[in-house]
């Protein structure tokens, strides 16, 4: 898979109703393999709605989402489960399940009704644990893990799903600063090592600008939403990041891509 393309996409809710609520429209962009792409924007601008629509959890209202040059509406649920892995913000409140058992659930699109793992499935699960660096946690119960460890388990589950695309909604939301940095570095290295498309929403603007290959910036423009796409440096050179970031006592350095607070 080389890319995912959205073309004149409208997103929102109640697609089957005459009173459909449009959150954003006329969105266009590309997600490229091997890249870490970060979705930035203020609260309520529609980031989660866009992620859910790209994942197939919400139907698109208009336009196209092309995956391998085929619109998302042409894929069945099982096909999508083999194309797209999703890691949501919510903590997995699960008891009586080990980290390895959780990661093994990523094999469900391939194991049939009973979910029995074969030799190859077990190898893939072990490989996913190793890639994320949590082999030592394999037999720990999920409810005994730290927030950062749980996030790594969910990412390993997505890797075990062996999809060319992984979407993450605020993957650093519950982490302390060192863990945020570690998580973002991990995701970038996974994109490089696996050639996957990794696309995540985040409020950690400073970190995204330092580590992302590409940025999708959603903004409010009167009653509309706009989507601007580029590398962190190109968006800084055009003054777009300054407009988004700067405020009273908040200054953005377009050369270093850093934010200073007075």
């Amino acid at each position: 898979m080389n890319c995912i393309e959205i073309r004149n996409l409208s997103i929102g809710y109640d697609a089957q109703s005459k009173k459909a609520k449009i959150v954003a429209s006329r969105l266009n962009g590309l997600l490229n393999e091997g890249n870490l792409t970060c979705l930035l924007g203020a609260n309520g601008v529609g980031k989660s709605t866009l992620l859910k629509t790209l994942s197939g959890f919400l139907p698109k209202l208009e336009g196209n989402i092309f995956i391998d040059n085929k619109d998302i509406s042409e894929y069945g649920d099982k096909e999508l489960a083999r194309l797209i892995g999703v890691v949501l913000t919510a903590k997995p409140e699960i008891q009586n399940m080990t980290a390895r058992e959780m990661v093994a659930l990523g094999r469900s699109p391939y194991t049939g009704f009973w979910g029995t793992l074969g030799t190859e499935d077990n190898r893939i699960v072990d490989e996913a644990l190793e890639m994320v660096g949590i082999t030592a946690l394999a037999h720990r119960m999920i409810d005994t893990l730290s927030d950062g460890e749980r996030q790594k388990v969910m990412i390993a589950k997505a890797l075990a799903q062996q999809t060319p695309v992984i979407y993450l909604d605020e993957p650093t939301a519950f982490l302390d600063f060192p863990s945020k940095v570690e998580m973002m570095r991990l995701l970038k290295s996974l994109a490089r090592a696996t050639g996957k498309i990794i696309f995540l929403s985040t409020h950690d603007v400073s970190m995204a600008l330092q580590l992302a290959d590409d940025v999708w910036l959603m903004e409010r423009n009167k009653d509309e939403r706009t989507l601007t796409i580029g590398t962190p440096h190109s968006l800084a050179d055009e003054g777009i990041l300054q407009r988004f970031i700067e405020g009273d006592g908040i200054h953005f350095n377009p050369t270093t891509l850093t934010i200073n607070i007075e």
Side-chain angles (χ1 to χ4, degrees), residues 39-222:
L39 174 62
L40 304 179
N43 284 331
V45 77
K47 299 189 303 297
S48 292
T49 304
L50 176 57
L51 270 177
K52 289 175 183 176
T53 306
L54 293 177
S55 305
F57 295 164
L58 286 175
K60 55 188 172 66
L61 301 185
E62 291 180 0
N64 299 97
I65 302 169
F66 292 111
I67 306 173
D68 264 355
N69 298 311
K70 181 177 170 182
D71 190 78
I72 192 172
S73 60
E74 298 178 45
Y75 289 97
D77 291 342
K78 190 169 184 178
E79 288 179 294
L80 283 178
R82 294 187 178 191
L83 288 171
I84 300 171
V86 181
V87 180
L88 300 175
T89 309
K91 301 179 186 180
E93 300 297 337
I94 296 172
Q95 296 180 339
N96 301 317
M97 178 179 284
T98 67
R100 192 181 192 283
E101 289 169 338
M102 172 62 79
V103 174
L105 292 178
R107 298 303 300 158
S108 59
Y110 310 93
T111 55
F113 179 78
W114 298 107
T116 303
L117 299 186
T119 301
E120 180 65 5
D121 295 308
N122 280 302
R123 184 195 67 76
I124 291 168
V125 170
D126 290 337
E127 183 180 75
L129 289 162
E130 184 177 353
M131 289 180 71
V132 182
I134 56 171
T135 300
L137 303 179
H139 300 294
R140 288 267 304 276
M141 304 304 288
I142 290 288
D143 59 343
T144 70
L145 301 178
S146 70
D147 289 338
E149 289 168 340
R150 290 189 195 194
Q151 281 292 68
K152 288 182 178 180
V153 169
M154 300 312 293
I155 291 169
K157 175 178 174 287
L159 289 172
Q161 200 172 331
Q162 287 196 313
T163 57
V165 182
I166 298 178
Y167 296 140
L168 305 99
D169 191 10
E170 294 286 347
T172 62
F174 304 112
L175 307 184
D176 58 30
F177 185 75
S179 298
K180 289 176 188 284
V181 175
E182 181 187 9
M183 182 63 64
M184 292 291 284
R185 283 176 171 167
L186 170 64
L187 291 170
K188 182 161 186 169
S189 67
L190 288 173
R192 292 283 191 275
T194 63
K196 294 180 185 294
I197 293 170
I198 297 185
F199 183 54
L200 63 91
S201 67
T202 181
H203 286 295
D204 292 316
V205 176
S206 295
M207 204 173 311
L209 297 182
Q210 295 297 320
L211 292 172
D213 296 296
D214 295 302
V215 168
W216 286 26
L217 177 61
M218 287 190 74
E219 296 179 280
R220 292 183 181 90
N221 183 10
K222 296 183 179 178

